[in-house]
Amino acid sequence: MRRLRTTADVQDASDDPLVRWAAQALSSGGAAWEHNGAVAVHAPVLTRRRRLVLSGPAEGVASLLAAHGRGVELRPLLERPLALDVMSVMPTPWVEDKPFGWMDRSGTLDLPAEACWLGAPDGVEALLHEANPDSWAWPGEKGVCRWAGVHVGGELVATAAEAWSSADVGFMMGVAVHPSHTGQGLGQRVCQFVTSSLLTLYGTCALFVENYNAPAIALYRKLGFAYRDVTTLLPAA
């Protein structure tokens, strides 16, 4: 089992955007390892959770999970088909906590003119409370960098944030459209703006999405994102 000490080490060991995104934790108390082609990144605080992000061949992932997967409130995060393979061979039982979706894309995307980065997040919190109260990203939260928006008649009616980006994976969170302005393409507009901006900066853009949110998944697919089922694990009781 080999210790990966830098973000560059993780990038050399894996081309999976999921673990490359988690590699940002190495600059804030995290750690990473490689074993038999698999990679694990321990992120003490990443999108509000203490995570162990894993990717690679099931045998190597199982070894990394056995070595580093225990701890108070630690959430192993990995692709769901891989998780099912790993759980079937682990001597210590694990159970799924909550499956959801990871989406990413690379390349370039046209920048729409109607959206912009907000100089200050004025109106964002009120919009989130109205349209997306379960958002993981909020103004002023650690790791949330900046907000984009679309205004209609001087009112902020759509927003999305850059939050928890890594060295080569930009991350989009906090998408919301005011209920009185849905069905007008505003969500796609603000997401296209953020995606285009992050692709220019990082080369890859990614996001989390609820696996049951078919309209959001369809919107992101329209912008070129590919969907992967991911899940978090818990030790069996």
Side-chain angles (χ1 to χ4, degrees):
M1 198 166 291
R2 177 171 63 101
R3 180 76 177 265
L4 304 175
R5 300 192 177 278
T6 67
T7 299
D9 289 341
V10 175
Q11 292 170 342
D12 288 341
S14 177
D15 60 2
D16 187 341
L18 182 60
V19 293
R20 294 169 75 99
W21 167 71
Q24 63 186 276
L26 295 184
S27 63
S28 56
W33 306 267
E34 184 276 335
H35 182 67
N36 289 345
V39 174
V41 179
H42 173 227
V45 180
L46 187 56
T47 58
R48 299 187 183 176
R49 294 289 185 270
R50 183 180 171 212
R51 302 188 184 276
L52 182 73
V53 183
L54 303 118
S55 181
E59 181 181 353
V61 167
S63 296
L64 289 166
L65 183 58
H68 306 289
R70 298 286 167 164
V72 177
E73 297 183 348
L74 180 63
R75 293 290 186 271
L77 168 64
L78 62 169
E79 197 165 4
R80 190 166 187 264
L82 174 61
L84 299 178
D85 288 343
V86 168
M87 286 191 293
S88 70
V89 302
M90 291 290 290
T92 304
W94 293 79
V95 295
E96 278 194 83
D97 179 18
K98 181 185 177 184
F100 51 104
W102 164 277
M103 302 187 76
D104 63 62
R105 62 152 296 168
S106 56
T108 60
L109 186 64
D110 291 340
L111 189 69
E114 299 87 349
C116 64
W117 292 112
L118 304 176
D122 297 336
V124 169
E125 189 164 344
L127 177 56
L128 290 174
H129 280 296
E130 181 74 22
N132 186 9
D134 295 326
S135 174
W136 282 50
W138 289 84
E141 185 171 2
K142 185 176 181 180
V144 178
C145 301
R146 53 182 175 163
W147 293 86
V150 176
H151 292 82
V152 173
E155 178 188 4
L156 181 69
V157 296
T159 193
E162 177 189 355
W164 298 291
S165 293
S166 70
D168 63 348
V169 181
F171 208 66
M172 179 166 63
M173 296 283 278
V175 178
V177 178
H178 195 280
S180 65
H181 290 272
T182 58
Q184 301 173 28
L186 302 182
Q188 179 173 336
R189 196 174 303 165
V190 73
C191 288
Q192 182 172 340
F193 175 85
V194 174
T195 300
S196 175
S197 300
L198 299 187
L199 288 173
T200 298
L201 283 174
Y202 301 101
T204 299
C205 182
L207 55 92
F208 286 141
V209 65
E210 299 290 358
N211 58 357
Y212 54 78
N213 192 342
I217 293 171
L219 184 156
Y220 300 136
R221 287 190 191 278
K222 190 179 294 186
L223 294 177
F225 287 85
Y227 178 89
R228 296 161 63 188
D229 274 316
V230 295
T231 193
T232 52
L233 301 180
L234 294 172

